[in-house]
Amino acid sequence: MADKKTFGAGAFFTAAGAVIAGLGVLFWIFGLQPLDYLKFLIGLAAGGAVPGVSLFVMLRLQGTRMERTFISLVLGMTSSVLFYRLAALAGARSLFLLWLAGHFAHVLFRLIKNPPQGRDFRFSISRSGVVFIMLAVMVLAVLVSDNFRNGVSLPDGSLQYHMHYLDGFVRNAVVRELSHSVPPQMSFAAGRSLSYHHAMDLFAAVFYRHLGLEVPDLLHRLTMAFFFFLLMGNVTIFMKRWTGRDSAGNIGIFLIVFCSGGFGFLCGLLTRYPAYWGKLFYSFYFLDMVSLNSFLPSIPILCAGFFCLMMHLKNGEWKWLLPAAFFLAVIADYKMTFAAPVLGGLGLAGLFSLIRHRDIKLLRAGVLTGLMLVPLVALALSLIHI
């Protein structure tokens, strides 16, 4: 087992405060005001962390601290965005405040009933944890040099542009549109609804409408950093549970973020003229992610779904089946092209498991995912011509 160094509650809060403050200074360098950064953190806690923790407890899920943290964050983000979308379609956005208030009351009740102890904040860092931190620094360094500069106001009043694809700046208009119209109209064809996944944009639109944060700050700095944080955490917890090895999480992060999902860049290095996909830090998936493609939040949702599905398959507990099916279905709201391969893969794997091993659990998960996906697809189709 890897050597570990254990730290107490004081070190926990010091480290957490230093990371939060350090990011605040970094964002300030790129023009984000400290008050706006604070509002984003409060909004993230109120709309993501609190509902996620509340639902995690309601479902009676259990896991390590890292698993609880990242599953709760994805659960809170996806459920809150979905609820806000339904409330906006019904013309009753105020219901979203009741959603938040209900979860806040539930979490507060749980904290009063079972207050955290000092030992709850103890943590340890192993060698794989050090590598995880190094990978996080690498990701942050690339974002600082490559993407955080986007949308920064210049002295002449224009905005700085430094993108590989146009997704990010197109999304600026979609976020503004979503702040007052759900579904959004096409930014280039007013009056026609956008028949494309936009949950990622709706997540940013909530901060823009209700907290007054600037769209470039949200898209190119704040939510991008948050989505990469989710990606690294959920890849780690899934890979560690799947393989039983701490190092697997770091390998998964490296492959997904820097290597186009595999070792393709090595093939490129062996040729005299390496292809575009052969460049380590500018591989296809990486360019998509730093260009604000919805591929970025979809990966952590997918990994969270696979994690919950794996927990269900391992111990047969039904409490993991519901979040697994929810994650694997709601991913269509973030990246609709994921829906067919996810559902098709579940169906085929479920049939194989049933025929070969007489095990119905995987097929059951596929059926429940399909049932949850049906209303999402029906809703999307019904809004195409609005």
Side-chain angles (χ1 to χ4, degrees):
M1 182 175 290
D3 297 328
K4 294 184 178 182
K5 174 67 175 176
T6 302
F7 301 90
F12 174 86
F13 287 109
T14 300
V19 170
I20 293 173
L23 286 174
V25 172
L26 180 61
F27 290 137
W28 174 74
I29 294 174
F30 287 97
L32 178 67
Q33 295 303 309
L35 180 59
D36 287 341
Y37 178 55
L38 179 61
K39 288 194 292 185
F40 176 76
L41 292 178
I42 293 174
L44 198 59
V50 171
V53 170
S54 176
L55 292 169
F56 194 94
V57 173
M58 287 181 183
L59 292 169
R60 301 181 181 277
L61 304 178
Q62 295 177 335
T64 66
R65 181 189 301 165
M66 189 174 188
E67 291 168 352
R68 295 195 305 268
T69 298
F70 285 100
I71 294 298
S72 294
L73 284 173
V74 176
L75 187 57
M77 178 187 73
T78 51
S79 61
S80 290
V81 168
L82 180 59
F83 190 90
Y84 186 89
R85 180 187 180 195
L86 295 176
L89 287 172
R93 294 177 192 255
S94 58
L95 290 177
F96 184 66
L97 297 178
L98 295 178
W99 162 268
L100 298 182
H103 287 298
F104 179 81
H106 178 231
V107 171
L108 183 61
F109 170 77
R110 299 288 301 189
L111 287 175
I112 294 175
K113 184 178 180 181
N114 299 299
Q117 305 297 320
R119 63 177 180 273
D120 296 328
F121 298 102
R122 292 176 183 168
F123 69 101
S124 60
I125 299 180
S126 63
R127 286 194 292 268
S128 64
V130 173
V131 176
F132 179 89
I133 294 172
M134 292 172 62
L135 285 170
V137 172
M138 287 173 59
V139 170
L140 185 61
V142 174
L143 293 180
V144 167
S145 63
D146 190 74
N147 197 268
F148 282 175
R149 72 181 79 171
N150 278 299
V152 173
S153 298
L154 299 176
D156 62 358
S158 61
L159 295 178
Q160 186 167 353
Y161 175 86
H162 177 75
M163 298 203 76
H164 306 283
Y165 305 139
L166 291 174
D167 295 50
F169 277 81
V170 171
R171 289 185 183 281
N172 289 341
V174 176
V175 169
R176 288 185 169 87
E177 179 67 20
L178 278 165
S179 68
H180 60 83
S181 176
V182 178
Q185 296 182 26
M186 295 184 188
S187 56
F188 50 84
R192 298 288 294 182
S193 293
L194 181 66
S195 57
Y196 198 62
H197 45 249
H198 53 261
M200 171 184 174
D201 310 291
L202 185 57
F203 178 70
V206 175
F207 289 91
Y208 173 63
R209 176 186 172 98
H210 298 285
L211 296 180
L213 301 182
E214 293 294 331
V215 174
D217 288 331
L218 282 167
L219 286 182
H220 302 288
R221 284 168 283 283
L222 295 171
T223 59
M224 169 163 281
F226 175 64
F227 289 147
F228 267 103
F229 176 68
L230 284 187
L231 184 152
M232 294 186 67
N234 281 280
V235 168
T236 298
I237 63 173
F238 168 61
M239 293 295 292
K240 285 175 66 174
R241 277 283 184 172
W242 184 27
T243 64
R245 299 180 62 87
D246 290 348
S247 59
N250 295 325
I251 294 173
I253 292 171
F254 183 75
L255 291 178
I256 291 175
V257 176
F258 296 119
C259 307
S260 248
F263 287 109
F265 74 98
L266 292 178
C267 299
L269 294 177
L270 296 176
T271 63
R272 176 176 292 186
Y273 304 105
Y276 194 56
W277 53 265
K279 297 180 181 179
L280 177 58
F281 288 97
Y282 288 91
S283 51
F284 174 73
Y285 292 162
F286 182 77
L287 285 180
D288 264 352
M289 290 188 285
V290 297
S291 296
L292 289 174
N293 191 286
S294 52
F295 192 87
L296 177 56
S298 298
I299 295 176
I301 298 173
L302 183 67
C303 287
F306 285 160
F307 174 87
C308 295
L309 178 61
M310 180 175 56
M311 296 295 284
H312 170 66
L313 296 177
K314 279 187 174 182
N315 52 38
E317 292 181 331
W318 282 78
K319 61 185 180 182
W320 286 106
L321 179 59
L322 184 60
F326 173 72
F327 287 143
L328 296 177
V330 80
I331 198 173
D333 271 350
Y334 292 79
K335 193 72 174 176
M336 63 173 61
T337 51
F338 276 29
V342 167
L343 192 60
L346 277 176
L348 291 175
L351 287 174
F352 177 83
S353 180
L354 179 63
I355 297 172
R356 180 69 176 82
H357 303 290
R358 300 294 189 269
D359 189 343
I360 199 174
K361 291 196 293 292
L362 192 55
L363 185 60
R364 186 168 56 204
V367 170
L368 184 57
T369 300
L371 291 176
M372 288 190 173
L373 187 61
V374 167
L376 295 176
V377 173
L379 178 62
L381 292 175
S382 68
L383 298 174
I384 289 179
H385 300 298
I386 289 182

